Coordinates of all heavy atoms in Angstrom, one line a residue:
A507 N 22.7 -12.0 -20.7 CA 22.3 -12.1 -22.1 C 22.1 -10.8 -22.7 O 22.5 -10.6 -23.9 CB 21.0 -12.9 -22.1
I508 N 21.6 -9.8 -21.9 CA 21.4 -8.4 -22.5 C 22.8 -7.8 -22.8 O 23.0 -7.2 -23.9 CB 20.6 -7.6 -21.5 CG1 19.2 -8.0 -21.5 CG2 20.8 -6.1 -21.9 CD1 18.3 -7.3 -20.5
E509 N 23.8 -8.0 -21.9 CA 25.1 -7.5 -22.1 C 25.8 -8.2 -23.3 O 26.4 -7.5 -24.1 CB 26.0 -7.7 -20.9 CG 25.6 -6.7 -19.8 CD 25.6 -5.3 -20.2 OE1 26.6 -4.8 -20.8 OE2 24.7 -4.5 -19.9
Y510 N 25.5 -9.5 -23.5 CA 26.1 -10.2 -24.6 C 25.5 -9.6 -25.9 O 26.3 -9.4 -26.9 CB 25.7 -11.7 -24.5 CG 26.1 -12.5 -25.7 CD1 27.4 -12.9 -25.9 CD2 25.2 -12.8 -26.7 CE1 27.8 -13.6 -27.0 CE2 25.5 -13.6 -27.8 CZ 26.9 -14.0 -28.0 OH 27.2 -14.7 -29.1
I511 N 24.2 -9.4 -25.9 CA 23.6 -8.8 -27.1 C 24.2 -7.5 -27.4 O 24.6 -7.2 -28.6 CB 22.1 -8.7 -27.0 CG1 21.4 -10.1 -27.0 CG2 21.4 -7.9 -28.1 CD1 20.0 -10.2 -26.6
K512 N 24.3 -6.6 -26.4 CA 24.8 -5.3 -26.7 C 26.3 -5.3 -27.1 O 26.7 -4.4 -27.9 CB 24.6 -4.4 -25.4 CG 23.1 -4.1 -25.2 CD 22.9 -3.2 -24.0 CE 21.5 -2.8 -23.9 NZ 21.2 -1.9 -22.8
H513 N 27.1 -6.2 -26.6 CA 28.5 -6.3 -27.0 C 28.7 -6.9 -28.3 O 29.8 -6.8 -28.9 CB 29.3 -7.0 -25.9 CG 29.6 -6.1 -24.7 ND1 28.8 -6.2 -23.5 CD2 30.4 -5.1 -24.5 CE1 29.3 -5.3 -22.7 NE2 30.2 -4.6 -23.2
N514 N 27.7 -7.7 -28.8 CA 27.8 -8.4 -30.1 C 26.8 -8.0 -31.1 O 26.4 -8.7 -32.0 CB 27.7 -9.9 -29.8 CG 28.9 -10.4 -29.0 OD1 30.0 -10.6 -29.5 ND2 28.6 -10.6 -27.7
I515 N 26.4 -6.7 -31.0 CA 25.3 -6.2 -31.8 C 25.6 -6.3 -33.3 O 24.7 -6.4 -34.1 CB 24.9 -4.8 -31.3 CG1 23.5 -4.4 -31.8 CG2 25.9 -3.8 -31.8 CD1 22.4 -5.2 -31.1
S516 N 26.8 -6.2 -33.7 CA 27.2 -6.2 -35.1 C 27.3 -7.7 -35.6 O 27.7 -7.8 -36.8 CB 28.4 -5.4 -35.4 OG 29.5 -6.0 -34.7
S517 N 27.1 -8.6 -34.8 CA 27.1 -10.0 -35.2 C 25.7 -10.5 -35.6 O 24.7 -9.9 -35.2 CB 27.6 -10.9 -34.1 OG 28.9 -10.5 -33.7
H518 N 25.7 -11.7 -36.3 CA 24.4 -12.3 -36.6 C 24.1 -13.1 -35.3 O 24.7 -14.2 -35.1 CB 24.5 -13.2 -37.8 CG 23.3 -14.0 -38.0 ND1 22.1 -13.4 -38.5 CD2 23.0 -15.3 -37.9 CE1 21.2 -14.3 -38.6 NE2 21.7 -15.5 -38.2
L519 N 23.2 -12.6 -34.5 CA 22.9 -13.3 -33.2 C 21.8 -14.2 -33.4 O 20.8 -13.9 -34.1 CB 22.5 -12.2 -32.2 CG 23.7 -11.3 -31.8 CD1 23.2 -10.1 -30.9 CD2 24.8 -12.0 -31.0
T520 N 21.9 -15.4 -32.7 CA 20.8 -16.4 -32.8 C 20.4 -16.7 -31.3 O 21.1 -16.4 -30.4 CB 21.3 -17.7 -33.4 OG1 22.3 -18.2 -32.6 CG2 21.8 -17.4 -34.8
L521 N 19.2 -17.3 -31.2 CA 18.8 -17.7 -29.8 C 19.8 -18.6 -29.2 O 20.2 -18.5 -28.0 CB 17.4 -18.3 -29.9 CG 16.9 -18.8 -28.5 CD1 16.8 -17.6 -27.5 CD2 15.5 -19.5 -28.7
E522 N 20.4 -19.5 -30.0 CA 21.4 -20.4 -29.5 C 22.6 -19.7 -29.0 O 23.1 -20.1 -27.9 CB 21.8 -21.4 -30.6 CG 20.7 -22.4 -31.0 CD 19.6 -21.8 -31.9 OE1 19.9 -20.8 -32.6 OE2 18.5 -22.3 -31.9
S523 N 23.1 -18.7 -29.7 CA 24.3 -18.0 -29.2 C 24.0 -17.2 -27.9 O 24.8 -17.1 -27.0 CB 24.9 -17.1 -30.3 OG 24.0 -16.0 -30.6
I524 N 22.8 -16.6 -27.9 CA 22.4 -15.9 -26.7 C 22.3 -16.8 -25.5 O 22.8 -16.5 -24.4 CB 21.1 -15.1 -26.9 CG1 21.3 -14.0 -28.0 CG2 20.5 -14.4 -25.7 CD1 20.0 -13.5 -28.6
V525 N 21.6 -17.9 -25.7 CA 21.4 -18.9 -24.6 C 22.8 -19.4 -24.1 O 23.0 -19.5 -22.9 CB 20.5 -20.1 -25.1 CG1 20.6 -21.2 -24.2 CG2 19.1 -19.6 -25.3
F526 N 23.7 -19.8 -25.1 CA 25.0 -20.3 -24.7 C 25.7 -19.3 -23.8 O 26.4 -19.7 -22.9 CB 25.8 -20.6 -26.0 CG 27.1 -21.2 -25.7 CD1 27.2 -22.5 -25.3 CD2 28.3 -20.4 -25.8 CE1 28.5 -23.1 -25.0 CE2 29.5 -21.0 -25.5 CZ 29.6 -22.3 -25.1
S527 N 25.6 -18.0 -24.2 CA 26.4 -17.0 -23.4 C 25.8 -16.8 -22.0 O 26.5 -16.4 -21.1 CB 26.3 -15.6 -24.1 OG 25.0 -15.1 -24.0
S528 N 24.5 -17.1 -21.8 CA 23.9 -16.8 -20.5 C 23.9 -18.1 -19.7 O 23.6 -18.0 -18.5 CB 22.5 -16.3 -20.7 OG 21.7 -17.3 -21.4
G529 N 24.1 -19.3 -20.3 CA 24.1 -20.5 -19.5 C 22.8 -21.0 -19.0 O 22.7 -21.7 -18.0
V530 N 21.7 -20.6 -19.6 CA 20.4 -21.1 -19.2 C 19.7 -21.8 -20.4 O 20.2 -21.6 -21.6 CB 19.4 -19.9 -18.7 CG1 20.0 -19.3 -17.5 CG2 19.2 -18.9 -19.8
S531 N 18.7 -22.5 -20.2 CA 18.0 -23.1 -21.3 C 17.3 -22.1 -22.2 O 16.9 -21.0 -21.7 CB 17.0 -24.2 -20.7 OG 15.9 -23.5 -20.2
P532 N 17.0 -22.5 -23.4 CA 16.2 -21.6 -24.3 C 14.9 -21.2 -23.7 O 14.5 -20.0 -23.8 CB 16.1 -22.4 -25.6 CG 17.2 -23.4 -25.6 CD 17.4 -23.7 -24.2
R533 N 14.2 -22.1 -23.1 CA 12.9 -21.8 -22.6 C 13.0 -20.9 -21.4 O 12.2 -19.9 -21.3 CB 12.3 -23.2 -22.1 CG 10.9 -23.0 -21.6 CD 10.3 -24.4 -21.3 NE 8.9 -24.2 -20.9 CZ 8.1 -25.2 -20.6 NH1 8.5 -26.4 -20.7 NH2 6.9 -25.0 -20.2
H534 N 14.0 -21.1 -20.5 CA 14.2 -20.2 -19.4 C 14.6 -18.8 -19.9 O 14.1 -17.8 -19.4 CB 15.2 -20.8 -18.4 CG 15.3 -20.0 -17.1 ND1 14.3 -19.9 -16.3 CD2 16.4 -19.4 -16.6 CE1 14.7 -19.2 -15.2 NE2 15.9 -18.9 -15.4
C535 N 15.4 -18.7 -20.9 CA 15.9 -17.4 -21.4 C 14.7 -16.7 -22.0 O 14.5 -15.5 -21.7 CB 16.9 -17.7 -22.5 SG 17.7 -16.2 -23.2
N536 N 13.9 -17.4 -22.8 CA 12.7 -16.7 -23.3 C 11.7 -16.2 -22.2 O 11.2 -15.1 -22.3 CB 11.9 -17.7 -24.2 CG 12.3 -17.6 -25.6 OD1 12.5 -16.6 -26.2 ND2 12.4 -18.8 -26.3
R537 N 11.5 -17.0 -21.2 CA 10.7 -16.6 -20.1 C 11.2 -15.4 -19.4 O 10.5 -14.4 -19.1 CB 10.5 -17.8 -19.1 CG 9.5 -17.5 -18.0 CD 9.3 -18.7 -17.1 NE 10.5 -19.0 -16.3 CZ 11.0 -18.2 -15.3 NH1 10.4 -17.1 -15.0 NH2 12.1 -18.5 -14.7
L538 N 12.5 -15.4 -19.1 CA 13.1 -14.2 -18.4 C 13.0 -13.0 -19.2 O 12.7 -11.9 -18.7 CB 14.6 -14.5 -18.0 CG 14.8 -15.6 -16.9 CD1 16.2 -15.9 -16.8 CD2 14.2 -15.0 -15.6
F539 N 13.3 -13.1 -20.5 CA 13.2 -11.9 -21.4 C 11.8 -11.3 -21.4 O 11.6 -10.1 -21.3 CB 13.7 -12.2 -22.8 CG 15.1 -11.8 -23.1 CD1 16.1 -12.6 -22.8 CD2 15.4 -10.5 -23.6 CE1 17.5 -12.2 -23.0 CE2 16.7 -10.1 -23.8 CZ 17.7 -11.0 -23.5
K540 N 10.8 -12.2 -21.6 CA 9.4 -11.8 -21.6 C 9.0 -11.2 -20.3 O 8.2 -10.2 -20.3 CB 8.5 -12.9 -22.1 CG 8.7 -13.2 -23.5 CD 7.7 -14.2 -24.1 CE 8.1 -14.4 -25.6 NZ 7.2 -15.2 -26.3
E541 N 9.5 -11.7 -19.2 CA 9.2 -11.2 -17.9 C 9.8 -9.8 -17.7 O 9.1 -8.9 -17.2 CB 9.7 -12.1 -16.8 CG 9.3 -11.7 -15.4 CD 9.9 -12.8 -14.4 OE1 9.8 -14.0 -14.7 OE2 10.4 -12.3 -13.4
H542 N 11.0 -9.6 -18.0 CA 11.8 -8.4 -17.7 C 11.8 -7.4 -18.9 O 11.8 -6.2 -18.6 CB 13.2 -8.7 -17.3 CG 13.3 -9.5 -16.1 ND1 13.1 -8.9 -14.8 CD2 13.5 -10.8 -15.8 CE1 13.2 -9.8 -13.9 NE2 13.5 -11.0 -14.5
C543 N 11.8 -7.8 -20.1 CA 11.8 -6.9 -21.3 C 10.5 -6.8 -22.1 O 10.4 -6.1 -23.0 CB 13.0 -7.3 -22.2 SG 14.6 -7.3 -21.4
K544 N 9.6 -7.7 -21.7 CA 8.3 -7.7 -22.4 C 8.4 -8.1 -23.9 O 7.6 -7.8 -24.7 CB 7.5 -6.4 -22.3 CG 7.4 -5.8 -20.9 CD 6.6 -6.7 -20.0 CE 6.4 -6.0 -18.7 NZ 6.8 -6.8 -17.5
M545 N 9.5 -8.9 -24.2 CA 9.7 -9.3 -25.6 C 10.6 -10.5 -25.6 O 11.3 -10.8 -24.6 CB 10.2 -8.2 -26.5 CG 11.6 -7.7 -26.1 SD 12.1 -6.3 -27.1 CE 11.1 -5.0 -26.5
S546 N 10.7 -11.2 -26.7 CA 11.6 -12.4 -26.8 C 13.1 -11.9 -26.9 O 13.3 -10.7 -27.3 CB 11.3 -13.2 -28.0 OG 11.6 -12.5 -29.2
P547 N 14.1 -12.7 -26.7 CA 15.5 -12.3 -26.9 C 15.8 -11.8 -28.3 O 16.5 -10.9 -28.5 CB 16.3 -13.6 -26.6 CG 15.3 -14.5 -25.8 CD 13.9 -14.1 -26.2
I548 N 15.2 -12.5 -29.3 CA 15.4 -12.1 -30.7 C 14.8 -10.7 -31.0 O 15.4 -9.9 -31.6 CB 15.0 -13.2 -31.7 CG1 15.8 -14.5 -31.5 CG2 15.1 -12.7 -33.1 CD1 17.3 -14.3 -31.6
A549 N 13.6 -10.5 -30.5 CA 12.9 -9.2 -30.7 C 13.7 -8.1 -30.0 O 13.9 -7.0 -30.5 CB 11.5 -9.3 -30.1
F550 N 14.3 -8.4 -28.8 CA 15.1 -7.5 -28.1 C 16.4 -7.1 -29.0 O 16.8 -6.0 -29.1 CB 15.5 -8.0 -26.7 CG 16.5 -7.1 -26.0 CD1 15.9 -6.0 -25.2 CD2 17.8 -7.3 -26.0 CE1 16.8 -5.2 -24.5 CE2 18.7 -6.4 -25.3 CZ 18.1 -5.4 -24.5
C551 N 17.0 -8.2 -29.5 CA 18.2 -8.0 -30.4 C 17.9 -7.1 -31.6 O 18.6 -6.2 -31.9 CB 18.6 -9.4 -30.8 SG 20.1 -9.4 -31.9
I552 N 16.7 -7.4 -32.2 CA 16.4 -6.6 -33.4 C 16.1 -5.1 -33.0 O 16.6 -4.2 -33.6 CB 15.1 -7.2 -34.1 CG1 15.5 -8.5 -34.7 CG2 14.6 -6.2 -35.1 CD1 14.3 -9.4 -35.2
E553 N 15.4 -5.0 -31.9 CA 15.2 -3.6 -31.4 C 16.5 -2.8 -31.1 O 16.6 -1.7 -31.5 CB 14.3 -3.6 -30.1 CG 14.1 -2.3 -29.5 CD 13.3 -2.3 -28.3 OE1 13.8 -2.7 -27.2 OE2 12.0 -2.0 -28.3
Q554 N 17.4 -3.5 -30.5 CA 18.7 -2.9 -30.2 C 19.5 -2.5 -31.5 O 20.1 -1.5 -31.6 CB 19.6 -3.8 -29.3 CG 19.1 -4.0 -28.0 CD 18.8 -2.7 -27.2 OE1 19.7 -1.9 -27.0 NE2 17.6 -2.5 -26.8
K555 N 19.4 -3.4 -32.5 CA 20.0 -3.1 -33.8 C 19.3 -1.9 -34.5 O 20.0 -1.1 -35.0 CB 19.9 -4.3 -34.7 CG 20.9 -5.5 -34.4 CD 20.7 -6.6 -35.3 CE 21.7 -7.8 -34.9 NZ 22.9 -7.8 -35.6
M556 N 18.0 -1.8 -34.4 CA 17.3 -0.7 -35.0 C 17.6 0.6 -34.3 O 17.7 1.7 -34.9 CB 15.8 -1.0 -35.1 CG 15.4 -2.2 -35.9 SD 16.0 -2.0 -37.7 CE 17.3 -3.3 -37.7
I557 N 17.7 0.6 -33.0 CA 18.1 1.8 -32.2 C 19.4 2.3 -32.7 O 19.6 3.5 -32.9 CB 18.0 1.5 -30.7 CG1 16.6 1.3 -30.2 CG2 18.7 2.6 -29.9 CD1 16.4 0.8 -28.8
L558 N 20.4 1.4 -32.8 CA 21.7 1.7 -33.3 C 21.7 2.2 -34.7 O 22.4 3.2 -35.1 CB 22.7 0.6 -33.1 CG 24.1 0.8 -33.5 CD1 24.7 2.0 -32.7 CD2 25.0 -0.4 -33.2
A559 N 20.9 1.6 -35.5 CA 20.7 2.0 -36.9 C 20.2 3.4 -37.0 O 20.7 4.2 -37.8 CB 19.8 1.1 -37.7
E560 N 19.2 3.8 -36.2 CA 18.7 5.2 -36.2 C 19.8 6.1 -35.8 O 20.0 7.2 -36.5 CB 17.6 5.3 -35.2 CG 16.3 4.7 -35.6 CD 15.2 4.9 -34.6 OE1 15.4 5.0 -33.4 OE2 14.0 4.9 -35.0
K561 N 20.6 5.8 -34.8 CA 21.8 6.6 -34.4 C 22.8 6.8 -35.5 O 23.2 7.9 -35.9 CB 22.4 6.0 -33.2 CG 23.6 6.8 -32.6 CD 24.1 6.2 -31.3 CE 25.4 6.7 -30.9 NZ 25.3 7.9 -30.2
I562 N 23.2 5.7 -36.2 CA 24.1 5.8 -37.3 C 23.6 6.6 -38.4 O 24.3 7.4 -39.0 CB 24.6 4.3 -37.7 CG1 25.3 3.6 -36.6 CG2 25.4 4.4 -39.0 CD1 25.5 2.1 -36.8
L563 N 22.4 6.3 -38.8 CA 21.8 7.0 -40.0 C 21.6 8.5 -39.7 O 21.7 9.3 -40.6 CB 20.4 6.4 -40.3 CG 20.4 5.0 -40.9 CD1 19.0 4.4 -40.9 CD2 21.0 5.0 -42.3
S564 N 21.4 8.9 -38.5 CA 21.2 10.3 -38.1 C 22.5 11.0 -37.9 O 22.6 12.2 -38.1 CB 20.3 10.5 -36.9 OG 20.9 10.0 -35.8
E565 N 23.6 10.3 -37.5 CA 24.8 10.9 -37.2 C 26.0 10.8 -38.1 O 27.0 11.4 -38.0 CB 25.3 10.4 -35.8 CG 24.3 10.8 -34.7 CD 24.7 10.3 -33.3 OE1 25.8 9.6 -33.2 OE2 24.0 10.5 -32.3
T566 N 25.8 9.9 -39.1 CA 26.9 9.6 -40.1 C 26.4 9.6 -41.5 O 25.2 9.4 -41.7 CB 27.6 8.3 -39.8 OG1 26.7 7.2 -40.2 CG2 28.0 8.1 -38.4
P567 N 27.3 9.8 -42.5 CA 26.9 9.7 -43.9 C 27.0 8.3 -44.4 O 27.0 8.1 -45.7 CB 27.8 10.7 -44.6 CG 29.0 10.7 -43.8 CD 28.6 10.4 -42.3
K568 N 27.2 7.3 -43.6 CA 27.5 6.0 -44.1 C 26.3 5.5 -45.0 O 25.2 5.8 -44.8 CB 27.5 5.0 -42.9 CG 28.8 5.0 -42.1 CD 28.8 3.9 -41.1 CE 30.2 4.0 -40.4 NZ 30.4 2.8 -39.5
R569 N 26.7 4.8 -46.0 CA 25.7 4.2 -47.0 C 24.9 3.2 -46.2 O 25.3 2.5 -45.3 CB 26.4 3.6 -48.2 CG 27.2 4.6 -49.0 CD 27.9 4.0 -50.1 NE 28.6 2.7 -49.8 CZ 29.3 2.0 -50.6 NH1 29.4 2.4 -51.9 NH2 29.9 0.9 -50.3
I570 N 23.7 3.1 -46.7 CA 22.7 2.2 -46.0 C 23.2 0.7 -46.1 O 23.1 0.0 -45.1 CB 21.3 2.3 -46.7 CG1 20.8 3.7 -46.4 CG2 20.4 1.2 -46.2 CD1 19.6 4.1 -47.1
K571 N 23.8 0.3 -47.2 CA 24.4 -1.1 -47.2 C 25.5 -1.3 -46.2 O 25.7 -2.3 -45.7 CB 24.8 -1.5 -48.6 CG 26.0 -0.8 -49.2 CD 26.3 -1.4 -50.6 CE 27.7 -1.1 -51.0 NZ 28.0 -1.8 -52.2
D572 N 26.3 -0.2 -45.9 CA 27.3 -0.3 -44.9 C 26.8 -0.4 -43.5 O 27.3 -1.1 -42.7 CB 28.3 0.9 -45.1 CG 29.1 0.9 -46.4 OD1 29.2 -0.2 -47.0 OD2 29.4 2.0 -46.9
V573 N 25.7 0.4 -43.3 CA 25.0 0.3 -42.0 C 24.5 -1.1 -41.8 O 24.6 -1.7 -40.7 CB 23.9 1.3 -41.9 CG1 23.1 1.2 -40.5 CG2 24.4 2.7 -42.0
A574 N 23.8 -1.7 -42.8 CA 23.3 -3.0 -42.8 C 24.4 -4.0 -42.4 O 24.2 -4.9 -41.6 CB 22.6 -3.4 -44.1
A575 N 25.5 -3.9 -43.1 CA 26.6 -4.9 -42.9 C 27.2 -4.7 -41.5 O 27.5 -5.7 -40.9 CB 27.7 -4.6 -44.0
Y576 N 27.3 -3.5 -41.0 CA 27.8 -3.3 -39.7 C 26.9 -3.9 -38.6 O 27.4 -4.4 -37.6 CB 27.9 -1.8 -39.4 CG 28.3 -1.5 -38.0 CD1 29.7 -1.6 -37.6 CD2 27.4 -1.0 -37.0 CE1 30.1 -1.4 -36.3 CE2 27.8 -0.8 -35.7 CZ 29.1 -1.0 -35.4 OH 29.5 -0.7 -34.1
L577 N 25.6 -3.9 -38.9 CA 24.7 -4.5 -37.9 C 24.5 -6.0 -38.1 O 23.6 -6.6 -37.5 CB 23.3 -3.8 -38.0 CG 23.4 -2.3 -37.6 CD1 22.1 -1.6 -37.8 CD2 23.8 -2.2 -36.1
G578 N 25.2 -6.6 -39.0 CA 25.2 -8.1 -39.2 C 24.2 -8.5 -40.2 O 23.9 -9.7 -40.3
Y579 N 23.6 -7.6 -41.0 CA 22.7 -8.0 -42.1 C 23.5 -8.3 -43.3 O 24.2 -7.4 -43.8 CB 21.7 -6.9 -42.3 CG 20.6 -6.8 -41.2 CD1 20.8 -6.0 -40.1 CD2 19.4 -7.5 -41.3 CE1 19.8 -5.9 -39.1 CE2 18.5 -7.4 -40.3 CZ 18.7 -6.6 -39.2 OH 17.7 -6.6 -38.3
E580 N 23.4 -9.5 -43.9 CA 24.1 -9.8 -45.1 C 23.4 -9.1 -46.3 O 24.0 -8.8 -47.3 CB 24.2 -11.3 -45.3 CG 25.1 -11.9 -44.3 CD 25.1 -13.4 -44.5 OE1 24.7 -13.9 -45.6 OE2 25.6 -14.1 -43.6
D581 N 22.1 -9.0 -46.2 CA 21.3 -8.4 -47.3 C 20.7 -7.0 -46.9 O 19.9 -6.9 -46.0 CB 20.1 -9.4 -47.6 CG 19.2 -8.9 -48.7 OD1 19.5 -7.9 -49.4 OD2 18.2 -9.6 -48.9
P582 N 21.2 -6.0 -47.6 CA 20.7 -4.6 -47.3 C 19.2 -4.5 -47.4 O 18.6 -3.7 -46.7 CB 21.4 -3.7 -48.3 CG 22.6 -4.5 -48.8 CD 22.2 -5.9 -48.7
F583 N 18.6 -5.3 -48.3 CA 17.1 -5.2 -48.5 C 16.4 -5.7 -47.2 O 15.4 -5.2 -46.8 CB 16.7 -6.0 -49.7 CG 15.2 -6.0 -50.0 CD1 14.6 -4.8 -50.4 CD2 14.4 -7.1 -49.7 CE1 13.2 -4.8 -50.6 CE2 13.1 -7.1 -49.9 CZ 12.4 -5.9 -50.3
H584 N 17.0 -6.8 -46.7 CA 16.4 -7.4 -45.4 C 16.5 -6.4 -44.3 O 15.6 -6.2 -43.5 CB 17.1 -8.7 -45.1 CG 16.6 -9.3 -43.9 ND1 15.4 -10.0 -43.8 CD2 17.1 -9.4 -42.6 CE1 15.1 -10.4 -42.6 NE2 16.2 -10.1 -41.9
F585 N 17.7 -5.7 -44.2 CA 17.8 -4.6 -43.2 C 16.8 -3.5 -43.4 O 16.2 -3.1 -42.5 CB 19.3 -4.0 -43.3 CG 19.4 -2.7 -42.6 CD1 19.4 -2.6 -41.2 CD2 19.5 -1.5 -43.3 CE1 19.4 -1.4 -40.5 CE2 19.6 -0.3 -42.7 CZ 19.6 -0.3 -41.3
S586 N 16.6 -3.1 -44.7 CA 15.7 -2.0 -45.0 C 14.3 -2.4 -44.6 O 13.5 -1.6 -44.0 CB 15.7 -1.6 -46.4 OG 16.9 -1.0 -46.8
M587 N 13.9 -3.6 -44.8 CA 12.6 -4.1 -44.4 C 12.4 -4.1 -42.9 O 11.4 -3.7 -42.4 CB 12.3 -5.5 -45.0 CG 12.3 -5.4 -46.5 SD 11.0 -6.2 -47.5 CE 10.0 -7.0 -46.4
A588 N 13.4 -4.6 -42.2 CA 13.4 -4.6 -40.7 C 13.3 -3.2 -40.2 O 12.6 -2.9 -39.2 CB 14.6 -5.4 -40.2
F589 N 14.1 -2.3 -40.8 CA 14.1 -0.9 -40.3 C 12.7 -0.3 -40.5 O 12.2 0.4 -39.6 CB 15.2 -0.1 -41.0 CG 15.4 1.3 -40.4 CD1 16.2 1.4 -39.4 CD2 14.7 2.4 -41.0 CE1 16.4 2.7 -38.8 CE2 14.9 3.6 -40.4 CZ 15.7 3.8 -39.3
K590 N 12.1 -0.5 -41.7 CA 10.8 0.1 -42.0 C 9.8 -0.5 -41.0 O 8.9 0.2 -40.6 CB 10.4 -0.2 -43.4 CG 9.1 0.5 -43.8 CD 8.9 0.5 -45.3 CE 7.6 1.3 -45.6 NZ 7.4 1.4 -47.0
K591 N 9.8 -1.8 -40.7 CA 8.9 -2.4 -39.8 C 9.0 -1.8 -38.4 O 8.1 -1.5 -37.7 CB 9.1 -3.9 -39.7 CG 8.2 -4.7 -38.9 CD 8.4 -6.1 -38.9 CE 7.4 -6.9 -38.0 NZ 7.7 -8.3 -38.0
Y592 N 10.3 -1.5 -38.0 CA 10.5 -0.9 -36.7 C 10.1 0.6 -36.6 O 9.5 1.0 -35.7 CB 12.0 -1.0 -36.3 CG 12.4 -0.3 -35.1 CD1 12.1 -0.9 -33.8 CD2 13.1 0.9 -35.1 CE1 12.5 -0.2 -32.7 CE2 13.4 1.5 -34.0 CZ 13.1 1.0 -32.7 OH 13.5 1.6 -31.6
S593 N 10.6 1.4 -37.6 CA 10.4 2.8 -37.5 C 9.2 3.4 -38.4 O 8.9 4.5 -38.2 CB 11.7 3.5 -38.0 OG 11.9 3.4 -39.4
G594 N 8.7 2.6 -39.3 CA 7.7 3.1 -40.2 C 8.2 3.8 -41.4 O 7.4 4.2 -42.3
L595 N 9.5 3.9 -41.5 CA 10.1 4.6 -42.6 C 11.3 3.7 -43.1 O 11.9 3.0 -42.4 CB 10.7 6.0 -42.2 CG 9.8 7.0 -41.7 CD1 10.5 8.2 -41.1 CD2 8.9 7.5 -42.9
S596 N 11.6 3.8 -44.4 CA 12.8 3.2 -45.0 C 14.0 3.9 -44.4 O 13.8 5.1 -44.0 CB 12.7 3.2 -46.5 OG 12.9 4.5 -47.0
P597 N 15.1 3.3 -44.4 CA 16.3 4.1 -44.0 C 16.5 5.4 -44.8 O 16.9 6.4 -44.2 CB 17.5 3.1 -44.2 CG 16.8 1.7 -44.2 CD 15.5 1.9 -44.7
R598 N 16.3 5.4 -46.1 CA 16.5 6.6 -46.9 C 15.5 7.6 -46.5 O 15.8 8.8 -46.3 CB 16.3 6.2 -48.4 CG 16.5 7.5 -49.3 CD 16.6 7.1 -50.7 NE 17.9 6.6 -51.0 CZ 18.3 5.4 -51.4 NH1 17.3 4.5 -51.7 NH2 19.5 5.1 -51.7
S599 N 14.2 7.2 -46.3 CA 13.2 8.2 -45.9 C 13.5 8.7 -44.5 O 13.2 9.9 -44.2 CB 11.8 7.5 -45.9 OG 11.5 7.2 -47.2
Y600 N 14.0 7.9 -43.6 CA 14.3 8.3 -42.3 C 15.4 9.4 -42.3 O 15.3 10.4 -41.6 CB 14.8 7.1 -41.5 CG 15.2 7.4 -40.0 CD1 14.3 7.5 -39.1 CD2 16.6 7.6 -39.7 CE1 14.6 7.8 -37.7 CE2 16.9 7.9 -38.4 CZ 15.9 8.0 -37.4 OH 16.3 8.3 -36.1
R601 N 16.4 9.2 -43.1 CA 17.4 10.2 -43.3 C 16.9 11.5 -43.9 O 17.2 12.6 -43.4 CB 18.6 9.7 -44.2 CG 19.7 9.1 -43.5 CD 21.0 9.2 -44.3 NE 22.0 8.7 -43.5 CZ 22.9 7.8 -43.9 NH1 22.8 7.3 -45.1 NH2 23.8 7.4 -43.1
E602 N 16.1 11.4 -44.9 CA 15.5 12.6 -45.5 C 14.6 13.4 -44.6 O 14.6 14.6 -44.6 CB 14.7 12.2 -46.8 CG 15.6 11.7 -47.9 CD 14.8 11.1 -49.1 OE1 13.5 11.1 -49.0 OE2 15.4 10.7 -50.0
K603 N 13.9 12.7 -43.7 CA 13.1 13.3 -42.7 C 13.9 14.1 -41.7 O 13.4 15.2 -41.2 CB 12.2 12.3 -41.9 CG 11.3 12.8 -40.9 CD 10.6 11.7 -40.2 CE 9.9 12.2 -39.0 NZ 9.4 11.2 -38.1
L604 N 15.1 13.7 -41.5 CA 16.0 14.4 -40.5 C 16.6 15.7 -41.1 O 17.0 16.5 -40.3 CB 17.1 13.5 -40.0 CG 16.7 12.3 -39.2 CD1 17.9 11.4 -39.0 CD2 16.0 12.7 -37.9
K605 N 16.6 15.8 -42.4 CA 17.2 17.0 -43.0 C 16.4 18.2 -42.9 O 15.2 18.2 -42.7 CB 17.4 16.7 -44.5 CG 18.6 15.7 -44.7 CD 18.8 15.5 -46.2 CE 19.9 14.5 -46.4 NZ 20.1 14.2 -47.8

């Protein structure tokens, strides 16, 4: 499931797609993630997207809406809110801090 998430990070991932790829029940998948990763599969997915977002924002001049689209967010505002919740900064503020 972890490999599936990492290979499909730019897709809109759901618990159903993660579970289908791993061949276990949703309940078992949640239990295994909480046991090994200390978070739910969806929280793990969001964390991986935000780690990649930090890398893209720090290493490229891509527009924030393009970063959001690359990571599977249809709404750049939703991406910005998720990024701020994760990092404590908006994507724009995160970039400015790096300068």
